[in-house]
Amino acid sequence: MKETLELINQMQADGVIGDYAIGGAVGAMLYLEPAATLDVDVFVALPTTKGGLLSLAPIYAYLEARGCVVREEHIVIGGWPVQFISPRDDLEREAVAAAVAAEVDDTATRIMSAEHLVAIALRTGRTKDHARILQFLEQDAVDSKKLETLIDKYGLRSKWEQFRHRFLGDPRG
Amino acid sequence: MGNREMRKQLAALTFSEKVRLLEKLRARSLAFAEARKKRKKSEDIPSGTPKHNQK
């Protein structure tokens, strides 16, 4: 993983990508216990082509020139399949901008805040996302004020109430 | 130690320590997947197939 992060950081230093933030299970691991996952989700503002389309091509060209191999929607960096994801909306863009600094054996990286991870998981709404939200709540790993702000800002109130009703037995939901 | 307490202790590890654990978990998952694949491959070969026809 250290090698993976070093190459992503180098790619950023070389101007191929701008700010990035790790999300998904690896991101959640900053706040929770480790959970098995096979890949790393990296949210990054992608460069646009002349036609205005978002393109992974510069990232892949940079990494392939350094021996990385494309495998389906991933590119394997330092042994880890990495998926580069362009932020789809303001919530994900904010999650990248507000990412927090972390380190893996002296290698710096950026990880989404706990509240952004929970808000994105709530919006995505798969079973595994709900399970992760429950872990965040159970371990008291989120600032509830900040989370409530995100929920209102990004129109997630009804999803949050449904979640609370279904999983926490909250009658308000 | 209870499950909840253990999870709490794991959550309190540094990110570097968690990454090391994650790498072990991943190596194990990949080894299981590889073993499953090999087993399936050997099961797919009909039992009466002569050895020289098996690949």
Side-chain angles (χ1 to χ4, degrees):
Chain A
M1 179 76 79
K2 184 176 162 66
E3 194 186 327
T4 311
L5 299 175
E6 281 171 348
L7 195 43
I8 293 172
N9 289 344
Q10 190 57 51
M11 187 163 59
Q12 187 184 25
D14 290 341
V16 179
I17 57 170
D19 282 344
Y20 75 87
I22 297 178
V26 175
M29 198 176 69
L30 180 62
Y31 312 95
L32 306 173
E33 76 272 21
T37 185
L38 297 176
D39 62 0
V40 185
D41 293 337
V42 177
F43 288 74
V44 59
L46 297 175
T48 47
T49 63
K50 282 178 189 165
L53 295 172
L54 294 171
S55 173
L56 285 168
I59 294 177
Y60 278 37
Y62 180 95
L63 293 171
E64 283 181 304
R66 285 155 182 80
C68 301
V69 176
V70 177
R71 196 188 294 159
E72 295 169 3
E73 74 269 32
H74 297 97
I75 183 155
V76 181
I77 311 174
W80 277 87
V82 175
Q83 186 171 19
F84 288 97
I85 301 164
S86 175
R88 281 159 282 202
D89 56 20
D90 287 345
L91 171 58
E92 291 184 358
R93 275 187 282 277
E94 184 185 303
V96 173
V100 299
E103 277 188 0
V104 175
D105 297 330
D106 297 332
T107 297
T109 190
R110 288 169 57 79
I111 299 207
M112 288 183 179
S113 77
E115 296 75 25
H116 284 94
L117 285 166
V118 169
I120 291 169
L122 181 67
R123 194 189 51 192
T124 311
R126 297 164 299 182
T127 305
K128 69 174 183 179
D129 297 304
H130 288 154
R132 193 173 296 153
I133 297 171
L134 286 170
Q135 281 180 281
F136 271 99
L137 298 178
E138 187 186 288
Q139 297 194 16
D140 210 11
V142 278
D143 179 325
S144 52
K145 258 190 179 173
K146 284 185 187 168
L147 178 60
E148 292 283 338
T149 303
L150 288 180
I151 284 168
D152 285 330
K153 187 173 177 184
Y154 293 108
L156 296 168
R157 178 59 56 191
S158 90
K159 280 197 172 190
W160 181 233
E161 285 176 359
Q162 280 170 28
F163 174 86
R164 290 180 60 87
H165 178 63
R166 188 170 164 201
F167 297 102
L168 306 175
D170 186 340
R172 287 175 299 165
Chain B
M1 187 194 304
N3 197 24
R4 185 179 282 240
E5 187 55 33
M6 193 173 78
R7 288 173 61 189
K8 217 172 172 177
Q9 284 193 11
L10 285 170
L13 295 173
T14 67
F15 192 54
S16 297
E17 289 168 326
K18 291 178 188 181
V19 165
R20 279 193 280 278
L21 280 176
L22 178 65
E23 285 177 331
K24 284 183 188 164
L25 283 171
R26 179 171 177 259
R28 206 171 57 170
S29 300
L30 292 174
F32 280 141
E34 189 58 33
R36 257 200 316 272
K37 217 159 86 182
K38 274 188 187 159
R39 199 173 54 233
K40 191 171 182 318
K41 212 172 172 184
S42 68
E43 283 169 3
D44 286 347
I45 300 170
S47 56
T49 307
K51 268 219 153 93
H52 64 269
N53 283 349
Q54 294 182 13
K55 284 194 176 171

